[in-house]
Amino acid sequence: MLKLASALLIGGLASTASFADKWHMPTPYGDGNLPTQIAYDFAKEIKDKTNGELDITVHSGASLVKHTEIPRSVKTGQVQMGELFLGILGNENPVYKHDNIPFLATTYEDAKKLWEAAKPSVKRRLDRDGMVLLYTVAWPAQGLYSKEPVNSLSDLAGSKMRAYSPSTSRLADLMGTTPTTIQNPDIPQAFSTGIIQAMVTSPSTGVTSQAWDYVNYYTDIKAWVPKNIVVANKKAFRRLDKETQQIIMDAAAHAEAEGWAKVVARADKDTQILIDNGMTVSDPSPELLKELQAIGKTMTQEWKEEAPKDVGTILGNYEG
């Protein structure tokens, strides 16, 4: 009955698409996160610029569609638009994995350069799957959360590590830990019940999940700078008149610029919140950094071997 009710609800939402006046945008993260706040601004700009003729409702915190189901829901037209963490698409095509390769791009400048290198391939792949790429929002660089200090990977040996994408599962393997898939809302319970003992994620996720309640240490390894992407169903987008399409793309450009401009300040703010709540925040030891960089090289090579042509083009554009 619950599945039937959910199908009827989503079906009812999708039926409004034919009028092109009421769209629904599920997002995976709560209202305290920067990507969600930008999504609200994005929807408001579109409503204002179209004089209310296109009204996008943002359903935050996976309240309408579970995170892992958002891509399929947009692709099939069950919803007209959605936001997702790009890395969760890694099993669908290797071009999506650029977003979760550790130590390939560890600064915001390099992450933006990597995104520009990968964007043409990502857009083509999304287009084949019936989706239009609208914009991205970067997350703060990823750090290591643990209950005990970590000076080398041996300190994590045998522990259970949170994973949230194919690449983070592989990372956990190479770190000598056991990957356990846990989505954002389930992090506190997973730690409190012993399902995981460590994770690599942003200071923002640490704040929204109140990491200080279950871990004591945050090692700022700056492993990579991942992104959320916002996509629209291609058929729904094409049904709109050209003027409305342009309004959406302009709002998307503004949203992307806002996200990249604000992410650095949000990272600093959220890291300070971790400190204020009693967590020990430190840079990685030389030994740990060397071990993690070696893993990054291994994962980059494995990524290249998955799709030499596509990945080679991305890396060539990035490194050239």
Side-chain angles (χ1 to χ4, degrees):
M1 289 299 293
L2 287 173
K3 289 183 179 179
L4 175 61
S6 178
L8 290 172
L9 172 61
I10 293 178
L13 297 179
S15 68
T16 64
S18 59
F19 301 100
D21 60 356
K22 185 73 173 177
W23 280 23
H24 295 270
M25 179 181 174
T27 78
Y29 303 103
D31 291 349
N33 289 280
L34 178 62
T36 309
Q37 294 164 1
I38 289 175
Y40 282 120
D41 291 342
F42 169 70
K44 183 178 185 302
E45 179 176 342
I46 292 169
K47 184 176 181 179
D48 290 345
K49 294 289 179 63
T50 61
N51 296 314
E53 291 184 10
L54 180 56
D55 186 5
I56 299 169
T57 299
V58 176
H59 301 272
S60 64
S63 58
L64 179 64
V65 181
K66 289 182 179 180
H67 189 186
T68 54
E69 294 297 317
I70 290 175
R72 184 184 60 82
S73 296
V74 176
K75 185 188 306 186
T76 60
Q78 291 180 307
V79 295
Q80 300 84 10
M81 186 179 289
E83 180 178 26
L84 58 134
F85 186 78
L86 180 56
I88 70 170
L89 298 176
N91 278 339
E92 295 191 13
N93 192 279
V95 301
Y96 298 128
K97 288 188 176 181
H98 78 275
D99 202 50
N100 278 186
I101 302 296
F103 297 99
L104 179 60
T106 59
T107 68
Y108 297 103
E109 292 77 15
D110 282 349
K112 186 177 287 189
K113 184 180 177 183
L114 178 60
W115 171 232
E116 292 303 321
K119 186 188 294 185
S121 298
V122 171
K123 287 179 70 173
R124 283 193 298 271
R125 188 69 225 180
L126 290 170
D127 181 72
R128 289 178 199 166
D129 286 340
M131 291 181 281
V132 177
L133 174 67
L134 298 179
Y135 69 88
T136 64
V137 178
W139 284 94
Q142 307 290 280
L144 173 64
Y145 292 79
S146 58
K147 293 187 176 183
E148 303 295 335
V150 178
N151 294 307
S152 70
L153 291 179
S154 62
D155 294 325
L156 289 170
S159 62
K160 299 173 185 175
M161 174 80 72
R162 178 203 174 209
Y164 50 84
S165 69
S167 294
T168 54
S169 290
R170 179 58 177 152
L171 173 63
D173 281 332
L174 292 172
M175 291 175 69
T177 64
T178 301
T180 306
T181 301
I182 302 292
Q183 294 303 326
N184 194 288
D186 302 321
I187 291 173
Q189 183 178 4
F191 270 105
S192 64
T193 57
I195 295 175
I196 54 175
Q197 287 93 36
M199 63 180 177
V200 176
T201 192
S202 70
S204 297
T205 298
V207 168
T208 56
S209 63
Q210 296 186 330
W212 49 86
D213 288 339
Y214 44 82
V215 292
N216 302 311
Y217 295 89
Y218 177 75
T219 308
D220 192 13
I221 59 176
K222 292 183 172 65
W224 68 91
V225 179
K227 301 176 294 295
N228 283 6
I229 61 170
V230 173
V231 292
N233 175 271
K234 185 163 69 171
K235 289 181 180 179
F237 185 80
R238 287 182 172 177
R239 281 196 294 264
L240 300 171
D241 61 73
K242 295 297 183 182
E243 182 180 357
T244 302
Q245 290 180 10
Q246 190 59 52
I247 287 171
I248 291 175
M249 298 311 294
D250 289 345
H254 299 156
E256 182 155 326
E258 181 185 5
W260 284 95
K262 289 184 174 180
V263 66
V264 177
R266 178 58 67 96
D268 291 342
K269 175 186 175 183
D270 289 341
T271 301
Q272 187 60 49
I273 291 174
L274 297 178
I275 295 171
D276 292 343
N277 281 276
M279 291 192 66
T280 299
V281 174
S282 63
D283 292 329
S285 69
E287 181 180 358
L288 178 61
L289 190 59
K290 183 178 180 180
E291 291 174 323
L292 291 172
Q293 288 173 339
I295 289 175
K297 290 180 180 179
T298 297
M299 290 184 64
T300 299
Q301 183 60 37
E302 290 175 346
W303 180 46
K304 288 169 67 175
E305 291 170 359
E306 279 189 73
K309 183 179 178 181
D310 289 341
V311 174
T313 298
I314 292 173
L315 287 173
N317 291 338
Y318 172 56
E319 296 168 349

PDB file of all heavy atoms in Angstrom, residues 157-169:
ATOM      1  N   ALA A 157      42.779   0.279  10.360  1.00  0.00           N
ATOM      2  CA  ALA A 157      42.709  -1.100   9.865  1.00  0.00           C
ATOM      3  C   ALA A 157      41.561  -1.874  10.518  1.00  0.00           C
ATOM      4  O   ALA A 157      41.428  -1.878  11.747  1.00  0.00           O
ATOM      5  CB  ALA A 157      44.023  -1.820  10.113  1.00  0.00           C
ATOM      6  N   GLY A 158      40.736  -2.469   9.663  1.00  0.00           N
ATOM      7  CA  GLY A 158      39.647  -3.300  10.156  1.00  0.00           C
ATOM      8  C   GLY A 158      38.387  -2.565  10.535  1.00  0.00           C
ATOM      9  O   GLY A 158      37.381  -3.200  10.868  1.00  0.00           O
ATOM     10  N   SER A 159      38.398  -1.239  10.511  1.00  0.00           N
ATOM     11  CA  SER A 159      37.198  -0.491  10.891  1.00  0.00           C
ATOM     12  C   SER A 159      36.214  -0.425   9.732  1.00  0.00           C
ATOM     13  O   SER A 159      36.536  -0.745   8.583  1.00  0.00           O
ATOM     14  CB  SER A 159      37.579   0.920  11.344  1.00  0.00           C
ATOM     15  OG  SER A 159      38.187   1.646  10.295  1.00  0.00           O
ATOM     16  N   LYS A 160      35.013  -0.018  10.029  1.00  0.00           N
ATOM     17  CA  LYS A 160      33.962   0.103   9.021  1.00  0.00           C
ATOM     18  C   LYS A 160      33.853   1.572   8.605  1.00  0.00           C
ATOM     19  O   LYS A 160      33.656   2.443   9.454  1.00  0.00           O
ATOM     20  CB  LYS A 160      32.632  -0.395   9.576  1.00  0.00           C
ATOM     21  CG  LYS A 160      32.648  -1.869   9.980  1.00  0.00           C
ATOM     22  CD  LYS A 160      31.361  -2.252  10.670  1.00  0.00           C
ATOM     23  CE  LYS A 160      31.413  -3.695  11.185  1.00  0.00           C
ATOM     24  NZ  LYS A 160      30.192  -4.037  11.965  1.00  0.00           N
ATOM     25  N   MET A 161      33.975   1.797   7.303  1.00  0.00           N
ATOM     26  CA  MET A 161      34.006   3.155   6.766  1.00  0.00           C
ATOM     27  C   MET A 161      32.728   3.437   5.985  1.00  0.00           C
ATOM     28  O   MET A 161      32.291   2.624   5.166  1.00  0.00           O
ATOM     29  CB  MET A 161      35.220   3.319   5.847  1.00  0.00           C
ATOM     30  CG  MET A 161      35.302   4.639   5.113  1.00  0.00           C
ATOM     31  SD  MET A 161      35.959   5.979   6.127  1.00  0.00           S
ATOM     32  CE  MET A 161      37.687   5.505   6.214  1.00  0.00           C
ATOM     33  N   ARG A 162      32.155   4.596   6.231  1.00  0.00           N
ATOM     34  CA  ARG A 162      30.979   4.996   5.460  1.00  0.00           C
ATOM     35  C   ARG A 162      31.335   5.176   3.982  1.00  0.00           C
ATOM     36  O   ARG A 162      32.355   5.761   3.645  1.00  0.00           O
ATOM     37  CB  ARG A 162      30.417   6.311   5.991  1.00  0.00           C
ATOM     38  CG  ARG A 162      29.206   6.798   5.191  1.00  0.00           C
ATOM     39  CD  ARG A 162      28.977   8.279   5.317  1.00  0.00           C
ATOM     40  NE  ARG A 162      27.902   8.719   4.443  1.00  0.00           N
ATOM     41  CZ  ARG A 162      27.811   9.930   3.917  1.00  0.00           C
ATOM     42  NH1 ARG A 162      28.720  10.842   4.179  1.00  0.00           N
ATOM     43  NH2 ARG A 162      26.801  10.242   3.121  1.00  0.00           N
ATOM     44  N   ALA A 163      30.486   4.653   3.097  1.00  0.00           N
ATOM     45  CA  ALA A 163      30.611   4.879   1.659  1.00  0.00           C
ATOM     46  C   ALA A 163      29.291   5.455   1.154  1.00  0.00           C
ATOM     47  O   ALA A 163      28.230   5.172   1.712  1.00  0.00           O
ATOM     48  CB  ALA A 163      30.941   3.584   0.936  1.00  0.00           C
ATOM     49  N   TYR A 164      29.365   6.258   0.101  1.00  0.00           N
ATOM     50  CA  TYR A 164      28.135   6.845  -0.443  1.00  0.00           C
ATOM     51  C   TYR A 164      28.167   6.930  -1.959  1.00  0.00           C
ATOM     52  O   TYR A 164      27.309   7.572  -2.573  1.00  0.00           O
ATOM     53  CB  TYR A 164      27.877   8.232   0.162  1.00  0.00           C
ATOM     54  CG  TYR A 164      29.062   9.181   0.116  1.00  0.00           C
ATOM     55  CD1 TYR A 164      29.340   9.929  -1.017  1.00  0.00           C
ATOM     56  CD2 TYR A 164      29.899   9.307   1.220  1.00  0.00           C
ATOM     57  CE1 TYR A 164      30.422  10.788  -1.058  1.00  0.00           C
ATOM     58  CE2 TYR A 164      30.993  10.170   1.185  1.00  0.00           C
ATOM     59  CZ  TYR A 164      31.241  10.900   0.052  1.00  0.00           C
ATOM     60  OH  TYR A 164      32.326  11.756   0.007  1.00  0.00           O
ATOM     61  N   SER A 165      29.141   6.267  -2.579  1.00  0.00           N
ATOM     62  CA  SER A 165      29.245   6.226  -4.031  1.00  0.00           C
ATOM     63  C   SER A 165      30.185   5.078  -4.378  1.00  0.00           C
ATOM     64  O   SER A 165      30.911   4.574  -3.511  1.00  0.00           O
ATOM     65  CB  SER A 165      29.813   7.546  -4.572  1.00  0.00           C
ATOM     66  OG  SER A 165      31.182   7.692  -4.222  1.00  0.00           O
ATOM     67  N   PRO A 166      30.205   4.644  -5.643  1.00  0.00           N
ATOM     68  CA  PRO A 166      31.140   3.574  -6.014  1.00  0.00           C
ATOM     69  C   PRO A 166      32.591   3.920  -5.707  1.00  0.00           C
ATOM     70  O   PRO A 166      33.357   3.068  -5.243  1.00  0.00           O
ATOM     71  CB  PRO A 166      30.909   3.433  -7.524  1.00  0.00           C
ATOM     72  CG  PRO A 166      29.502   3.893  -7.736  1.00  0.00           C
ATOM     73  CD  PRO A 166      29.294   4.999  -6.746  1.00  0.00           C
ATOM     74  N   SER A 167      32.970   5.165  -5.934  1.00  0.00           N
ATOM     75  CA  SER A 167      34.365   5.555  -5.707  1.00  0.00           C
ATOM     76  C   SER A 167      34.710   5.571  -4.226  1.00  0.00           C
ATOM     77  O   SER A 167      35.829   5.196  -3.844  1.00  0.00           O
ATOM     78  CB  SER A 167      34.636   6.925  -6.325  1.00  0.00           C
ATOM     79  OG  SER A 167      34.532   6.859  -7.741  1.00  0.00           O
ATOM     80  N   THR A 168      33.774   6.004  -3.371  1.00  0.00           N
ATOM     81  CA  THR A 168      34.081   6.004  -1.939  1.00  0.00           C
ATOM     82  C   THR A 168      34.134   4.584  -1.388  1.00  0.00           C
ATOM     83  O   THR A 168      34.845   4.315  -0.425  1.00  0.00           O
ATOM     84  CB  THR A 168      33.090   6.864  -1.146  1.00  0.00           C
ATOM     85  OG1 THR A 168      31.739   6.447  -1.428  1.00  0.00           O
ATOM     86  CG2 THR A 168      33.239   8.342  -1.498  1.00  0.00           C
ATOM     87  N   SER A 169      33.407   3.676  -2.009  1.00  0.00           N
ATOM     88  CA  SER A 169      33.520   2.264  -1.612  1.00  0.00           C
ATOM     89  C   SER A 169      34.914   1.732  -1.945  1.00  0.00           C
ATOM     90  O   SER A 169      35.544   1.026  -1.148  1.00  0.00           O
ATOM     91  CB  SER A 169      32.463   1.415  -2.324  1.00  0.00           C
ATOM     92  OG  SER A 169      31.177   1.703  -1.847  1.00  0.00           O
TER      93      SER A 169
END
